[in-house]
Amino acid sequence: MAHVADAVIVGAGIAGVATGFELAVTRGVGRAVIVDPRPPLTLTSDKSSECYRNFFPTKPMVDLANRSIDIFDAMQEKTGNIFNMSRRGYLFVTADERQLASLAASADLSSSFGAGPVRRHQLEGEVVEQDWGFDVFESSESLLARFPYLTAESVGGVHVRRGGWLSAQQLGAWMLESARDKGATLIRDEVVDIRTSSGRVDGVTLGSGERVDAPVVINAAGPMSQQIARLVEVDLPLKGSVHHKVSFKDSLSAFPRDAPFLVWTDPQKIDWTEDERKALANEGLDELLGEVKTPVFGRPEGGFESPFFEALWEYRTDLRDPPTMPFPDADEIFAEAVMRGMSTMLPCLSEYRDRLPYSVVDGGYVMKTPENLPLLGPAGPEGFHLVTAMSGYGVMISTGAAELVGAHVLGAELPAYSKAFLLSRYDDPEYLSSQNLIDTGELGKKGAQLQKQATTNTATS
């Protein structure tokens, strides 16, 4: 049996659902089909921190994030905020004066790209009532006057004001239902083949044997993006980064309910007991025995009446190419390690040192390109498009990414930042050289070919 569609979207995570919404609701493509063997929004989309911000070190990412947040704002107003969008921002905290200077410089850079003005605060009691730009707290006094629950070791921080979090599950459910109301269809099945003819796609074949005929196929398959792309002989330079998070039931009401998304940026060493250190060594968790350099972060979960908060700390690097299923379990010590790490920033959490509260750990893959930028737009045969490699930004850029891919699909005017996210950027030796990618092995065969090409060009010039 064959279905006929205008576009097939492979994957019903937040990227695929947002793309379905963009095509069916915003652009009037009534025959959009979303295909996924799993229930919508259940593989990785509901396993993230569900946060958003416009704080990035490149203009294309600032522009894309700003556009995505603009769309969130419009959706919030239209729905009465059914997806619980908060605007408390991100607060990056440090006990190192050099790190504070680096954070402030990053705020200045992001501001120059259009993320909003930078305001500097040195004195206690200065009023901060903005939802745009950055507040740089240049002294411990100014920071602790505003956020008194932070450690007294803090010397300052940067509050990213255009940021916060939302319920990806509720946002996605609303977008999916809205798309269905406009004629989109969800099929619970697996794409096993993408058919092509004369250099363009003409549909997909499903695991059930059914076909969907369509001139457009959009790869929004998250951890399965590589295998979907290979069906049309497109090689994606992706690796799956394992990310876990933990939700704690805060029975002691220790975590401040009015906090922004809190990030402790400094390396730290956990003061394990000698017996604990021996046990960690026996478990092969050497990463936790020395200095851990990755940031630890957390936020309140739910409304003010909720007893939960969630936190994340990727103290070990686990990259998989290709990603393996089922998703790997977290270390048995994960929840305790995260609580210890968070208590450096929030001393109030030390109350849980001897008795960890009830906790739930989950996680998912974050698909990353070598320079940690998404892949959005056409690739390979005509009609094949990517909305993948969301690099840990999946929720926060989902709507902007979907809008961009929709513009590509329908041949609409593209924003200036569109070229930065094309797969074809890897065909440019100058770009690869600027990103230090040619001789790193990150791009596999393509990198080797371009390295050879660059060597030949140098020899003949």
Side-chain angles (χ1 to χ4, degrees):
M1 177 180 177
H3 302 270
V4 178
D6 297 307
V8 173
I9 301 161
V10 186
I14 193 68
V17 167
T19 303
F21 178 92
E22 174 68 22
L23 293 181
V25 178
T26 305
R27 298 187 182 270
V29 179
R31 295 188 301 176
V33 173
I34 304 172
V35 181
D36 199 310
R38 299 172 179 82
L41 307 156
T42 58
L43 183 58
T44 59
S45 298
D46 62 342
K47 310 297 192 301
S48 73
S49 59
E50 302 178 291
C51 293
Y52 69 93
R53 68 179 188 274
N54 70 342
F55 183 37
F56 289 97
T58 65
K59 182 169 175 53
M61 280 302 298
V62 169
D63 288 342
L64 178 61
N66 272 335
R67 180 58 192 148
S68 197
I69 298 169
D70 286 344
I71 298 172
F72 287 152
D73 287 340
M75 289 178 169
Q76 180 196 38
E77 184 174 349
K78 182 174 183 177
T79 65
N81 199 21
I82 63 169
F83 50 93
N84 299 318
M85 182 178 176
S86 85
R87 301 179 186 275
R88 296 190 208 164
Y90 276 57
L91 180 62
F92 294 83
V93 185
T94 180
D96 184 333
E97 293 285 358
R98 291 173 299 178
Q99 175 68 350
L100 179 59
S102 177
L103 287 170
S106 295
D108 287 333
L109 179 64
S110 193
S111 174
S112 73
F113 295 143
V118 176
R119 298 169 291 273
R120 285 177 160 77
H121 307 275
Q122 292 184 331
L123 303 176
E124 179 181 342
E126 291 182 293
V127 176
V128 180
E129 295 181 353
Q130 300 289 332
D131 59 4
W132 176 255
F134 306 88
D135 289 290
V136 178
F137 295 92
E138 296 183 316
S139 69
S140 177
E141 292 78 13
S142 62
L143 179 69
L144 295 178
R146 177 66 181 83
F147 307 101
Y149 41 76
L150 298 173
T151 175
E153 300 298 317
S154 306
V155 299
V158 172
H159 193 186
V160 181
R161 300 311 300 263
R162 198 172 197 209
W165 56 89
L166 50 82
S167 170
Q169 190 77 22
Q170 290 174 314
L171 172 64
W174 174 77
M175 288 194 293
L176 180 58
E177 189 61 31
S178 299
R180 282 171 147 175
D181 288 344
K182 294 297 183 179
T185 304
L186 175 67
I187 297 178
R188 289 282 300 277
D189 209 332
E190 182 179 6
V191 171
V192 296
D193 188 32
I194 300 175
R195 303 188 310 278
T196 61
S197 177
S198 302
R200 70 163 302 128
V201 301
D202 61 12
V204 301
T205 302
L206 307 181
S208 62
E210 293 189 356
R211 301 185 329 180
V212 182
D213 297 333
V216 171
V217 175
I218 300 170
N219 182 356
M224 277 66 72
S225 293
Q226 290 154 302
Q227 67 189 57
I228 294 300
R230 286 171 183 150
L231 295 177
V232 290
E233 300 182 349
V234 170
D235 186 31
L236 302 182
L238 291 181
K239 289 184 179 179
S241 177
V242 176
H243 280 237
H244 290 98
K245 80 170 191 291
V246 55
S247 295
F248 294 103
K249 187 174 183 180
D250 187 13
S251 56
L252 300 178
S253 300
F255 198 101
R257 298 307 304 174
D258 61 347
F261 187 87
L262 297 171
V263 185
W264 182 253
T265 65
D266 299 356
Q268 59 175 303
K269 295 179 72 172
I270 297 179
D271 57 342
W272 305 106
T273 66
E274 192 58 36
D275 287 342
E276 289 170 335
R277 293 181 66 83
K278 290 179 181 178
L280 291 169
N282 289 336
E283 292 295 325
L285 293 170
D286 295 341
E287 296 91 345
L288 288 170
L289 297 177
E291 186 177 68
V292 182
K293 295 184 178 180
T294 53
V296 60
F297 41 94
R299 66 168 177 85
E301 169 62 22
F304 279 91
E305 73 288 347
S306 170
F308 288 93
F309 70 92
E310 65 178 41
L312 304 87
W313 196 15
E314 298 305 327
Y315 50 77
R316 61 162 52 186
T317 300
D318 189 347
L319 294 175
R320 305 198 178 198
D321 181 16
T324 57
M325 292 294 179
F327 184 73
D329 293 332
D331 304 324
E332 288 188 10
I333 196 70
F334 181 75
E336 183 171 354
V338 172
M339 183 68 82
R340 297 283 188 102
M342 282 293 297
S343 66
T344 299
M345 174 172 47
L346 290 173
C348 52
L349 296 182
S350 296
E351 298 182 60
Y352 290 119
R353 184 181 183 91
D354 296 326
R355 186 174 182 180
L356 200 67
Y358 171 79
S359 61
V360 176
V361 176
D362 63 18
Y365 284 109
V366 170
M367 301 306 296
K368 294 185 175 184
T369 58
E371 76 280 43
N372 212 26
L373 293 177
L375 294 170
L376 309 171
E382 186 178 352
F384 187 70
H385 295 262
L386 305 171
V387 56
T388 188
M390 306 294 258
S391 306
Y393 318 133
V395 171
M396 70 180 75
I397 65 170
S398 58
T399 52
E403 180 184 67
L404 178 55
V405 172
H408 277 295
V409 168
L410 294 184
E413 182 178 358
L414 297 170
Y417 54 80
S418 63
K419 290 181 64 176
F421 305 121
L422 293 172
L423 179 64
S424 59
R425 65 185 186 255
Y426 298 119
D427 293 329
D428 181 358
E430 290 186 9
Y431 174 81
L432 298 184
S433 179
S434 72
Q435 299 294 318
N436 298 314
L437 294 176
I438 287 183
D439 57 357
T440 63
E442 293 277 6
L443 297 177
K445 293 180 181 179
K446 181 185 287 287
Q449 292 168 353
L450 287 167
Q451 185 177 23
K452 182 178 180 180
Q453 177 183 333
T455 303
T456 301
N457 290 346
T458 301
T460 57
S461 62

